[in-house]
Amino acid sequence: MTRLTHLAVLTAASLLSAAPALGQETALNVAVALPGHDLTPWGMFMAADGVVKTVILGLALASVATWTVLVAKSLELKNRTHAQRAAFEAVDAARTLNEAAADERAARSPLMQAALAELALSSNALNDGEGLKERVASRFNRIEAALGRRMVRGTGALATIGATAPFVGLFGTVWGIMNSFIGIAASQTTNLAVVAPGIAEALLATAIGLVAAIPAVVIYNHFARQTAVYRALVGDTSAAILRLISRDLSRGVRG
């Protein structure tokens, strides 16, 4: 009995002495297993599921579209706002409609062209000043609406991207995590070194979704403010032209 007890004590001591070595070996195996997974964004994308890859590619294309709209729309808004401001300054400084029309900055404005066209069509009805101003104002309303629609063209895509990109990225994340849990069930292991790469690949979709959505929302709000400034300039120009027409009609009545 004493011999058996002594043998048991020796066996337990040998196991206890071997435990740190086993722990070191397990840690070494984990450390060796981790470099097998490329945890850079490109490496996670290449190792991702087909559905997750499709989601990430779609979000990347949406991000490219956002920055393309930013560049193209910024140039368009800058040029049109500059031209509209120059037209307003020319019209506001003129004393008569003919003087304003002689200025090249105002002559290029569709508002001035519409006013001159209506005056030509109403040449035999200039005595009805209120009717003339009403017809010119009607033309201006339609032109202002058309110019406003032209300025917001393309920005609707930014609103769509900003509203849907996070949810599209979340779909890719849910799909990837679902596949990771299926892999856990199949391998019958909960070792973090085994399941972490799949979860990281899934979370990459959400990150790309936020990268696509946040700039789209910021840029859309920026364009909304700039478009409001442009519309205000168009409204100021149309009001200035109507004032010139009213002055000319009053001078005609007095003459």
Side-chain angles (χ1 to χ4, degrees), residues 80-177:
R80 291 190 177 274
T81 301
H82 177 74
Q84 194 61 48
R85 182 174 287 109
F88 168 71
E89 292 173 353
V91 172
D92 193 52
R95 296 181 67 255
T96 65
L97 188 66
N98 287 334
E99 181 182 340
D103 194 313
E104 185 179 358
R105 297 174 299 170
R108 289 195 297 262
S109 172
L111 295 170
M112 178 61 71
Q113 296 170 5
L116 295 176
E118 185 56 43
L119 284 171
L121 293 173
S122 303
S123 59
N124 59 347
L126 296 180
N127 291 331
D128 183 13
E130 292 302 320
L132 175 61
K133 288 188 287 185
E134 182 180 349
R135 290 189 294 273
V136 173
S138 175
R139 285 177 176 264
F140 285 175
N141 287 336
R142 303 319 309 154
I143 292 173
E144 290 178 27
L147 292 176
R149 287 194 300 269
R150 183 182 298 174
M151 280 299 99
V152 299
R153 189 180 303 162
T155 59
L158 298 177
T160 302
I161 292 171
T164 60
F167 297 102
V168 175
L170 183 61
F171 166 74
T173 296
V174 171
W175 186 274
I177 291 177

Side-chain angles (χ1 to χ4, degrees), residues 34-252:
L34 284 175
H37 299 281
D38 185 2
L39 296 182
T40 62
W42 177 253
M44 289 189 291
F45 169 75
M46 295 303 296
D49 179 74
V51 175
V52 179
K53 280 185 179 178
T54 303
V55 169
I56 293 175
L57 284 175
L59 292 172
L61 291 176
S63 182
V64 171
T66 296
W67 295 106
T68 302
V69 171
L70 171 64
V71 174
K73 210 65 183 176
S74 295
L75 293 175
E76 182 182 5
L77 266 171
K78 180 181 178 181
N79 293 334
R80 291 190 177 274
T81 301
H82 177 74
Q84 194 61 48
R85 182 174 287 109
F88 168 71
E89 292 173 353
V91 172
D92 193 52
R95 296 181 67 255
T96 65
L97 188 66
N98 287 334
E99 181 182 340
D103 194 313
E104 185 179 358
R105 297 174 299 170
R108 289 195 297 262
S109 172
L111 295 170
M112 178 61 71
Q113 296 170 5
L116 295 176
E118 185 56 43
L119 284 171
L121 293 173
S122 303
S123 59
N124 59 347
L126 296 180
N127 291 331
D128 183 13
E130 292 302 320
L132 175 61
K133 288 188 287 185
E134 182 180 349
R135 290 189 294 273
V136 173
S138 175
R139 285 177 176 264
F140 285 175
N141 287 336
R142 303 319 309 154
I143 292 173
E144 290 178 27
L147 292 176
R149 287 194 300 269
R150 183 182 298 174
M151 280 299 99
V152 299
R153 189 180 303 162
T155 59
L158 298 177
T160 302
I161 292 171
T164 60
F167 297 102
V168 175
L170 183 61
F171 166 74
T173 296
V174 171
W175 186 274
I177 291 177
M178 180 181 66
N179 286 337
S180 296
F181 281 120
I182 292 173
I184 292 172
S187 61
Q188 296 182 352
T189 179
T190 57
N191 192 337
L192 188 60
V194 176
V195 301
I199 296 176
E201 295 157 8
L203 292 174
L204 180 64
T206 295
I208 299 297
L210 294 176
V211 168
I214 294 173
V217 173
V218 174
I219 294 170
Y220 176 80
N221 291 332
H222 168 72
F223 282 144
R225 292 189 296 269
Q226 295 301 313
T227 302
V229 172
Y230 175 76
R231 284 178 169 174
L233 276 174
V234 174
D236 292 342
T237 306
S238 64
I241 294 175
L242 281 174
R243 286 195 298 270
L244 290 179
I245 293 175
S246 179
R247 289 172 191 165
D248 288 346
L249 289 173
S250 296
R251 291 187 185 103

